[in-house]
């Protein structure tokens, strides 16, 4: 595999790390093997309380830390959290500011960007893990290895500076693993009322036909509040544009064609056709007139809170379906099982398009100034939460109180009907490493029907991906390539496409002008990629 390596990273950081007193542990194998005196096996207890600053996108309040769930972890590891909540929409910018200014909290959840990672490592802005960290924390190491990115990044930079977070650890739902996006929910009761067939997969045009029937017949009797398709700009990119043009998203915009030559997907005719369909959907009033202004889950709220939408983007995880059920009970007083059908979205040609799911999303990073003691404590914390026992506690709560094992070893939730772990223990953030997607496949707190349906759709995606061969393969050569040109050519496609369909005039003409306007940024990337040494 050809990966552009920054040769300066290893030599520069080796000097920096060995000169900085607080980082001497990273340069001494004997220090790495020695415990601090307060740690060891994560269940041994810790003598000294450590105040550790943490940055995360999970909103929490000071009072949350007094409940028994949060106290279990703080008491177990003798930690006092200095918690820094980050708004989802400002996540990238906030972390970038903190990292570049040297104000990064001790540990943070970061939406990984490869070029930024290389720059931060090059400048000594991220902590380098000890060379023997995998021996000391084997659970974290095992999960880390499954991400693929961990090993590839180590090759590029000569060490571990980033811990990519695995999406799946022990409960992979299908093979090949396809991204969980591209699953929609529709009102099954409205579908029956207008004679629309319930299926496992719909083309984008079929969903438009359903939306037209809703607009015409209004089976829910919601009048002028009706929103046939409740998508924001990102939902529209996923469920209309990408469904018809797989290389329209940033993750796969630069791709190798059948001849092994790199191309730019947004300039393809398939993308233009997809944009025409998106524009038609908007002009016919099947989308909300101001769908492009929605943020923070507003599109889903129209379905689950207001009950005025016939189709919304859901995603393929069982936990999403559970959350939808709870919101509809709380806000609409209805049983969603009687009203909701989930399905995957196909292109107009009946082919399934999506992204190969690389097994990581976001990452854990540490401040370059974190003390050895704090670093080891948080690693011990993650070692426990990545273990079988820790995963059960993080995702189910306490054995005997919140869950139990049945006679055959199956997990059984003890939570009362209508109660969720999130309600009982609000704002749980302690699953710092393995993502909750993994446990959602087996979580008994999620209704079995939702878990089974999620796996069914994952398997359907895998089957269609193998049959249609229309999914976008994950290209490590591209993903781990970094240059100034590549960084400059990373566009917010959801916004770009929305501006195109809203712009007055002929869409095709506007699109051609847009493609031309981007060539000064796009062509240098294509030239670099196509000139990489084979």
């Amino acid at each position: 595999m050809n990966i552009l390596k920054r040769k300066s990273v290893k030599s520069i950081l080796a000097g920096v790390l060995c000169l900085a007193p607080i980082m001497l542990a990273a340069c001494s194998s004997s220090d790495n093997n020695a415990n601090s005196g307060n740690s060891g096996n994560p269940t041994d207890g810790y003598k000294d309380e450590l105040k550790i600053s943490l940055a995360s996108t999970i909103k929490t309040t000071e009072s949350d830390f007094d409940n028994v769930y949060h106290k279990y972890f703080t008491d177990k590891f003798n930690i006092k959290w200095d918690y820094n909540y980050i708004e989802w929409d400002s996540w990238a910018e906030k972390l970038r500011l903190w990292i570049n200014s040297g104000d990064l909290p001790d540990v943070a959840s970061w939406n990984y960007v490869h070029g930024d990672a290389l720059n931060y490592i090059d400048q000594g802005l991220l902590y380098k893990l000890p060379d023997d960290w995998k021996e000391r924390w084997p659970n974290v190491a095992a999960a880390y290895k499954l991400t693929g990115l961990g090993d590839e990044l180590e090759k590029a930079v000569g060490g571990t500076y980033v811990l990519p977070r695995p999406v799946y650890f022990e409960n992979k739902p299908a093979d090949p693993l396809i991204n969980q996006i591209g699953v929609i929910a529709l009102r099954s009761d409205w579908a029956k009322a207008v004679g629309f067939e319930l299926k496992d997969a719909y083309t984008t045009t079929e969903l438009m036909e359903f939306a037209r029937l809703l607009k015409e017949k209004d089976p829910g009797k919601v009048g002028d509040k009706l929103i046939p398709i409740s998508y924001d700009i990102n939902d529209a990119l996923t469920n209309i544009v990408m469904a018809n043009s797989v290389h329209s998203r940033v993750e796969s915009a630069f791709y190798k064609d059948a001849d092994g030559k790199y191309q730019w997907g947004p300039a393809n005719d398939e993308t233009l056709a997809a944009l025409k369909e998106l524009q038609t959907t908007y002009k016919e009033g099947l989308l909300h007139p101001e769908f492009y202004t929605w943020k923070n889950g507003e599109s889903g709220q129209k379905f689950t809170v207001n009950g005025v939408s016939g189709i919304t983007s859901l995603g393929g995880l069982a936990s999403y379906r559970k959350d939808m059920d709870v919101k509809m009970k709380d806000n609409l007083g209805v049983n969603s099982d009687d009203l909701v059908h989930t399905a995957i979205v196909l292109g107009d040609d009946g082919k399934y398009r999506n992204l190969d799911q690389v097994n990581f999303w976001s990452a854990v990073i540490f401040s370059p100034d974190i003390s050895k003691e704090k670093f080891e404590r948080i690693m011990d914390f993650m070692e426990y939460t990545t273990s079988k026992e820790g995963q059960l506690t993080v995702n189910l709560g306490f054995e005997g109180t919140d869950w139990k094992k049945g006679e055959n070893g199956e997990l059984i939730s003890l939570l009362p009907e209508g109660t969720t772990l999130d309600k009982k223990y609000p704002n749980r953030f302690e699953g710092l490493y393995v993502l909750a997607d993994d446990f959602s496949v087996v979580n008994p707190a999620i209704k079995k029907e939702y878990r089974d349906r999620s796996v069914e759709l994952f398997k359907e995606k895998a089957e269609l991906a193998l049959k249609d061969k229309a999914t976008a393969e994950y290209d490590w050569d591209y993903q781990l390539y970094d240059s100034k040109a590549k960084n400059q050519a990373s566009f917010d496609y959801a916004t770009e496409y929305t501006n195109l369909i809203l712009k007055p005039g002929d869409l095709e003409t506007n699109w051609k002008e847009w493609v031309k306007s981007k060539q000064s940024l796009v062509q240098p990337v294509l030239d670099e990629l196509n000139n990489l040494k084979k």
Side-chain angles (χ1 to χ4, degrees):
M1 179 176 295
N2 299 309
I3 300 173
L4 186 67
K5 298 185 180 182
R6 296 199 168 201
K7 295 181 180 179
S8 61
V9 171
K10 194 172 181 180
S11 57
I12 292 173
L13 282 180
V16 171
L17 293 176
C18 291
L19 287 172
I22 200 167
M23 301 293 285
L24 283 176
C27 300
S28 169
S29 60
S30 60
D31 283 348
N32 290 339
N33 291 325
N35 290 338
S36 66
N38 296 316
S39 62
N41 185 294
T43 60
D44 288 346
Y46 300 84
K47 181 177 66 176
D48 298 332
E49 181 184 75
L50 294 180
K51 185 175 183 180
I52 295 177
S53 56
L54 165 68
S56 173
T57 57
I58 298 175
K59 191 172 186 178
T60 189
T61 62
E62 189 64 32
S63 61
D64 290 334
F65 295 99
D66 293 330
N67 76 42
V68 64
Y69 181 91
H70 293 286
K71 280 183 63 63
Y72 169 80
F73 290 98
T74 54
D75 290 350
K76 185 177 184 66
F77 292 92
N78 206 1
I79 287 173
K80 182 175 177 59
W81 294 113
D82 174 10
Y83 193 90
N84 298 267
Y85 166 61
I86 313 166
E87 290 279 359
W88 184 269
D89 291 341
S90 61
W91 187 17
E93 185 56 36
K94 179 73 76 171
L95 264 293
R96 187 176 295 115
L97 178 65
W98 279 341
I99 292 169
N100 283 306
S101 64
D103 293 325
L104 184 66
D106 294 320
V107 59
S109 174
W110 175 47
N111 195 8
Y112 182 85
V113 176
H114 185 65
D116 288 348
L118 293 183
N119 288 330
Y120 297 152
I121 293 168
D122 215 10
Q123 297 174 63
L125 298 177
L126 299 180
Y127 180 78
K128 183 179 187 293
L129 276 65
D131 291 339
D132 66 347
W133 74 267
K134 295 174 186 176
E135 286 72 42
R136 178 161 175 182
W137 296 285
N139 290 329
V140 177
Y144 167 90
K145 186 171 183 60
L146 293 178
T147 67
L149 175 62
D151 289 341
E152 296 297 337
L153 187 56
E154 283 184 26
K155 294 176 190 176
V157 301
T160 307
Y161 298 84
V162 173
L163 297 177
R165 299 185 66 192
V167 180
Y168 294 102
F169 183 26
E170 296 182 327
N171 300 295
K172 187 177 178 181
D175 191 15
L177 185 61
I178 305 298
N179 200 301
Q180 60 84 16
I181 61 176
V183 172
I184 55 96
L186 59 81
R187 284 291 296 262
S188 57
D189 57 330
W190 293 2
K192 292 172 185 175
V194 299
F196 186 72
E197 181 183 2
L198 297 180
K199 302 191 296 184
D200 289 338
Y202 296 99
T203 65
T204 50
T205 51
E206 285 177 322
L207 291 176
M208 288 174 67
E209 284 304 317
F210 177 47
R212 292 185 182 109
L213 287 170
L214 296 181
K215 188 176 180 183
E216 176 190 349
K217 299 184 177 182
D218 188 15
K221 307 301 180 188
V222 295
D224 58 7
K225 294 180 180 179
L226 176 67
I227 305 170
I229 301 176
S230 182
Y231 291 166
D232 61 23
I233 61 173
N234 294 298
D235 300 332
L237 171 54
T238 296
N239 299 304
I240 297 178
V241 183
M242 184 197 71
N244 289 287
S245 179
V246 73
H247 296 296
S248 59
R249 290 178 61 105
V250 67
E251 298 91 338
S252 61
F254 291 94
Y255 70 98
K256 288 179 185 175
D257 64 16
D259 297 323
K261 187 175 181 180
Y262 277 96
Q263 305 290 349
W264 188 52
N268 292 347
D269 289 341
E270 290 87 350
T271 300
L272 173 60
L275 291 176
K276 287 181 177 179
E277 185 164 310
L278 175 59
Q279 187 179 66
T280 298
T281 307
Y282 179 71
K283 285 187 172 181
E284 288 190 16
L286 306 180
L287 295 170
H288 189 276
E290 296 182 354
F291 83 105
Y292 49 86
T293 67
W294 287 348
K295 296 183 182 297
N296 298 322
E298 250 184 292
S299 57
Q301 291 171 13
K302 304 301 180 185
F303 192 97
T304 60
V305 176
N306 306 113
V308 296
S309 171
I311 303 171
T312 194
S313 185
L314 178 64
L317 302 181
S319 56
Y320 296 168
R321 182 64 184 86
K322 179 200 73 172
D323 292 344
M324 174 172 279
D325 181 63
V326 171
K327 288 176 181 176
M328 293 183 78
K329 277 189 173 73
D330 289 349
N331 295 286
L332 301 174
V334 297
N335 180 358
S336 73
D337 295 354
D338 301 328
L339 307 175
V340 174
H341 176 70
T342 56
I344 59 178
V345 184
L346 310 176
D348 286 342
D349 58 2
K351 290 186 177 182
Y352 178 70
R353 295 173 180 84
N354 202 328
L355 310 169
D356 278 359
Q357 174 69 67
V358 65
N359 194 31
F360 79 88
W361 178 79
S362 75
V364 173
I365 54 176
F366 301 92
S367 165
D369 299 323
I370 191 173
S371 69
K372 178 175 183 281
E373 187 178 30
K374 287 185 178 182
F375 167 74
E376 291 181 344
R377 189 74 61 88
I378 199 65
M379 287 297 291
D380 285 348
F381 185 101
M382 292 196 299
E383 177 72 3
Y384 172 71
T385 60
T386 306
S387 69
K388 291 184 182 299
E389 177 189 330
Q391 278 287 287
L392 289 171
T393 306
V394 163
N395 293 289
L396 290 182
F398 304 110
E399 185 173 9
T401 301
D402 302 313
W403 63 277
K404 68 178 182 179
K405 287 185 178 178
E407 293 181 0
N408 298 319
E410 74 276 18
L411 301 175
I412 300 172
S413 175
L414 298 177
L415 295 177
E417 180 67 26
T419 300
T420 66
L421 207 64
D422 289 325
K423 283 187 175 181
K424 186 172 183 181
Y425 310 121
N427 307 320
R428 295 174 300 118
F429 60 85
E430 284 81 0
L432 294 184
Y433 194 49
V434 177
L435 294 172
D437 308 38
D438 179 71
F439 201 79
S440 71
V441 179
V442 297
N443 191 342
I446 300 174
K447 190 180 296 187
K448 187 175 186 299
E449 289 81 358
Y450 298 164
R451 289 185 278 129
D452 289 348
R453 181 61 174 167
S454 174
V455 172
E456 283 175 10
L457 293 180
F458 266 111
K459 289 182 176 179
E460 177 78 4
K461 289 180 177 185
E463 184 177 327
L464 290 172
L466 291 172
K467 178 178 74 73
D468 296 336
K469 301 188 183 305
T471 53
E473 294 182 3
Y474 195 83
D475 181 357
W476 283 110
D477 286 335
Y478 169 74
Q479 297 294 341
L480 297 189
Y481 174 77
D482 181 52
S483 73
K484 181 179 180 181
K486 181 186 174 185
N487 293 336
Q488 290 177 331
S490 181
F491 309 115
D492 179 354
Y493 289 105
T495 299
E496 297 275 358
Y497 294 151
T498 303
N499 289 338
L500 277 172
I501 69 147
L502 296 177
K503 187 175 180 180
D506 177 65
L507 175 59
E508 184 168 352
T509 300
N510 291 338
W511 170 77
K512 287 179 178 178
E513 291 176 353
W514 175 79
V515 169
K516 185 177 180 180
S517 74
K518 299 298 184 185
Q519 288 308 301
S520 62
L521 296 174
V522 168
Q523 193 59 50
V525 184
L526 293 173
D527 292 341
E528 289 179 1
L529 292 170
N530 286 319
N531 288 321
L532 283 175
K533 291 182 180 179
K534 303 299 180 183

